[in-house]
Amino acid sequence: GEAASYAVMEHPDACQVDSLGRHRPALCPGHPRFREVMERWFDAAALTGAPVVLLDEPHLFVLRLQRTAAKWCCCCARCRLVFAERFGRAMPETWDEDVHAFIEALIAEATIWLIEAAAARDLGSAVLLLPDEGYDAALWRRVAALPGVVAFGTDPYHFGLEPDPIANRAFVRLWGERSVAATA
């Protein structure tokens, strides 16, 4: 998130690593430490009496819209191991369809786990997913329908669009319609 994360200082072994081998200041959402940190956070949120937690744009350190074949996350030791188990080969150095599928699954699995972990503490989840080229209508419907999701939507960021009011309105409309469709 935007706030400083002490978790990355306390658990550097659980941080994301980009495809260039650089340590990134965010925990890998597939790492057990990430889940431990989030469970403690959910416990603390539940103690406050808050009815809902905001799961704001679950994503990896390098935003999907900024990734390139030479720059993406997460390539930490755990992700490399899980990738090899799922695809029967070492994680490649450059982006390919298997990497795309792995990254999308990593984010989806983490998001679903977060919603379920919050619900186990009687916390509702307000979920905002990023609008991006990895859009999967079935996944959006699945997330929106999970028990515990009390609000669902997206942030209509228009990365890369020119400041064209007509194009921007069309972009916001598209993602608004997709959000509504997911909650139908």
Side-chain angles (χ1 to χ4, degrees), residues 4-88:
S5 173
Y6 294 99
V8 299
M9 292 179 276
E10 294 169 1
H11 308 289
D13 58 313
C15 286
Q16 294 176 38
V17 175
D18 71 19
S19 56
L20 302 177
R22 295 179 297 200
H23 177 271
R24 293 302 185 179
L27 295 184
C28 172
H31 198 284
R33 291 276 189 238
F34 170 81
R35 291 185 179 205
E36 291 171 14
V37 168
M38 292 309 300
E39 285 177 338
R40 287 195 312 268
W41 187 84
F42 287 141
D43 289 341
L47 284 174
T48 70
V52 177
V53 293
L54 174 62
L55 304 178
D56 191 14
E57 304 166 0
H59 63 277
L60 297 174
F61 180 76
V62 179
L63 290 174
R64 295 182 202 179
L65 292 163
Q66 297 173 342
R67 72 180 172 214
T68 66
K71 183 181 174 187
W72 47 274
C73 281
C74 180
C75 301
C76 70
R78 185 211 164 272
C79 282
R80 288 184 178 279
L81 177 65
V82 173
F83 183 94
E85 290 171 357
R86 287 187 184 170
F87 295 95

Side-chain angles (χ1 to χ4, degrees), residues 48-170:
T48 70
V52 177
V53 293
L54 174 62
L55 304 178
D56 191 14
E57 304 166 0
H59 63 277
L60 297 174
F61 180 76
V62 179
L63 290 174
R64 295 182 202 179
L65 292 163
Q66 297 173 342
R67 72 180 172 214
T68 66
K71 183 181 174 187
W72 47 274
C73 281
C74 180
C75 301
C76 70
R78 185 211 164 272
C79 282
R80 288 184 178 279
L81 177 65
V82 173
F83 183 94
E85 290 171 357
R86 287 187 184 170
F87 295 95
R89 66 182 177 111
M91 183 180 277
E93 299 300 317
T94 57
W95 186 265
D96 68 11
E97 288 305 311
D98 288 345
V99 170
H100 176 82
F102 176 78
I103 296 304
E104 294 298 323
L106 176 62
I107 295 166
E109 290 163 10
T111 302
I112 291 165
W113 177 84
L114 288 164
I115 293 164
E116 291 171 347
R121 290 156 176 85
D122 294 322
L123 294 165
S125 292
V127 182
L128 285 175
L129 299 182
L130 279 170
D132 70 6
E133 75 279 3
Y135 170 72
D136 178 342
L139 175 64
W140 278 42
R141 285 190 305 273
R142 181 177 173 203
V143 169
L146 285 171
V149 174
V150 298
F152 180 88
T154 187
D155 292 323
Y157 296 124
H158 44 84
F159 298 118
L161 290 180
E162 295 298 320
D164 175 355
I166 295 171
N168 291 342
R169 275 194 295 277

